[in-house]
Amino acid sequence: MKRDRVTNPAAFACALSLVALCAGCSDKPQVTPEPRLVNVVRVTVGSANSDVGYSGEVRARYETALSFRLAGKIVARNVEVGGLVRKGDVLARLDPEDQQLNARSAQSQLAAAKSEYEQSKAELERYSDLYQKAFISKAEFDRRQNTYNVAKARLDQAQAQVAVSANQTGYTELAADHAGVVTAIPIEVGQVVAAGQTVMKIARTDDREVAISIPENRLGELSATREIDISLWADPAKLYKGRLREISPSADPVTRTYAAKVSALNADAAMKLGMTANVYLRGAQRSVAVMLPATALFQDNGQAAVWIVDRTASQVKLVPVEVGEYVEDKVAVLSGLNE
């Protein structure tokens, strides 16, 4: 009997192990997943009004390339790039020695022509008196008349040459035609330049505009826009009023976009040349079917699609769609969706 008591605890322990093992094999309780929250957008078919923005660069409406009217060696340059100039300021000078010599030569020729003219005039007056008294023939009088006419023409020529020489002497100084800022100086003192060669560029500071590029499928928006605003990248909170001034009649051969220029109507000193600006076409109309958030798009076998919610059945289904243009964080759906 004692042996049975010794072996029975071992058998009892084995039975407990089997019970514990069977208990571990039982099914775990099922955990119900929480529903996932998504943003649902109501589909509305029709045209949409939205603002369109383009990036551009602030430029001067008028930028003049200045040059000397004659060739010569530059002996002085009075301005630097970025300097402000007033109308009439002397910007650069050529060596005036040759032009001064030409002016003196013209003065000497004028003096000689004037002396010849005075002599011919006096002789004509004497021969005119003799002709009236019949002391000389008509042929002799005509020769004196012709001599006087030639002397007078030479005098006029000499006077014109003196005026030209004076102008050319003045052309050795390059003066500003209008007030502005110097944007480029491609020459240095001591350089010999040809007549008409650009030596300086001056941009007027009173009229500024923004140069932008417009895709060919957006040209219709320019005529549809009701208002144009301009903002600077340096100060986006400040808006300037704009007006479309010019649009290129042909597209750029590389970018295939059309260059347009928008004048800033209330530009101030904060709008500096070369700054980056954004041009907004307010209220531009697009004939699109649906505008959805770009995050609503889904790819199904390479085809664009969106999920449609069936509120009655509380289910969703994937519907293929045709996608149009992207506008900021939205996308235009051209077909595939109903209202």
Side-chain angles (χ1 to χ4, degrees):
M1 296 295 292
K2 292 182 179 179
R3 287 183 180 179
D4 294 338
R5 291 181 180 178
V6 173
T7 57
N8 286 340
F12 181 71
C14 182
L16 289 178
S17 300
L18 292 174
V19 172
L21 181 60
C22 291
C25 294
S26 61
D27 294 336
K28 294 183 179 179
Q30 296 292 334
V31 179
T32 303
E34 296 183 359
R36 181 179 177 182
L37 299 179
V38 295
N39 183 25
V40 180
V41 179
R42 182 179 296 275
V43 176
T44 303
V45 180
S47 61
N49 289 334
S50 59
D51 296 337
V52 183
Y54 298 96
S55 296
E57 179 185 356
V58 178
R59 297 179 182 177
R61 178 174 180 179
Y62 303 102
E63 185 175 15
T64 307
L66 303 180
S67 60
F68 289 101
R69 299 190 184 185
L70 43 82
K73 179 180 179 181
I74 297 177
V75 295
R77 194 189 73 185
N78 302 329
V79 294
E80 298 292 341
V81 174
L84 295 175
V85 298
R86 296 171 298 179
K87 181 178 180 180
D89 287 351
V90 177
L91 309 177
R93 288 188 177 88
L94 293 178
D95 186 356
E97 183 176 356
D98 292 342
Q99 304 307 322
Q100 291 174 354
L101 291 175
N102 291 335
R104 287 198 293 267
S105 175
Q107 288 289 348
S108 300
Q109 293 177 4
L110 175 61
K114 186 178 295 185
S115 177
E116 183 180 358
Y117 169 76
E118 294 295 340
Q119 182 179 359
S120 299
K121 182 180 179 181
E123 289 183 356
L124 179 61
E125 291 177 353
R126 290 194 300 267
Y127 277 83
S128 177
D129 184 59
L130 294 175
Y131 175 71
Q132 292 177 0
K133 296 178 180 179
F135 290 161
I136 60 174
S137 64
K138 181 68 168 58
E140 182 66 22
F141 175 77
D142 290 342
R143 283 195 295 269
R144 300 301 174 180
Q145 181 69 50
N146 291 336
T147 302
Y148 168 78
N149 293 337
V150 171
K152 187 176 184 305
R154 288 177 178 174
L155 177 62
D156 294 340
Q157 180 184 10
Q159 290 174 341
Q161 187 62 39
V162 169
V164 170
S165 300
N167 289 339
Q168 290 182 342
T169 302
Y171 294 157
T172 58
E173 291 185 348
L174 182 63
D177 296 332
H178 51 76
V181 59
V182 180
T183 58
I185 305 178
I187 52 90
E188 293 294 341
V189 175
Q191 182 175 344
V192 177
V193 296
Q197 178 181 342
T198 300
V199 298
M200 208 166 296
K201 289 185 178 181
I202 295 183
R204 296 180 60 170
T205 57
D206 50 354
D207 292 336
R208 296 182 182 89
E209 61 187 15
V210 180
I212 59 177
S213 298
I214 301 178
E216 58 186 60
N217 62 338
R218 297 287 185 86
L219 291 177
E221 297 174 353
L222 291 178
S223 58
T225 185
R226 299 187 299 268
E227 184 181 358
I228 300 178
D229 289 334
I230 301 172
S231 69
L232 299 177
W233 184 81
D235 187 9
K238 187 173 184 179
L239 293 179
Y240 301 86
K241 294 298 180 182
R243 182 182 67 244
L244 180 65
R245 184 183 68 84
E246 177 185 304
I247 182 169
S248 175
S250 59
D252 185 273
V254 178
T255 63
R256 305 306 304 168
T257 58
Y258 289 79
K261 297 178 181 179
V262 178
S263 297
L265 303 181
N266 56 339
D268 53 17
M271 182 179 286
K272 300 184 182 299
L273 301 179
M275 280 188 167
T276 302
N278 292 323
V279 176
Y280 299 100
L281 307 182
R282 304 297 188 187
Q285 181 134 4
R286 295 189 182 88
S287 56
V288 298
V290 177
M291 295 296 294
L292 295 180
T295 54
L297 286 183
F298 187 81
Q299 291 290 330
D300 183 22
N301 295 327
Q303 172 73 26
V306 295
W307 290 99
I308 300 298
V309 179
D310 186 352
R311 293 182 178 273
T312 304
S314 298
Q315 294 180 349
V316 295
K317 64 178 179 178
L318 195 60
V319 177
V321 295
E322 180 183 356
V323 176
E325 60 184 354
Y326 286 81
V327 182
E328 297 180 354
D329 59 343
K330 296 183 181 298
V331 60
V333 178
L334 304 181
S335 63
L337 297 179
N338 298 322
E339 190 156 3

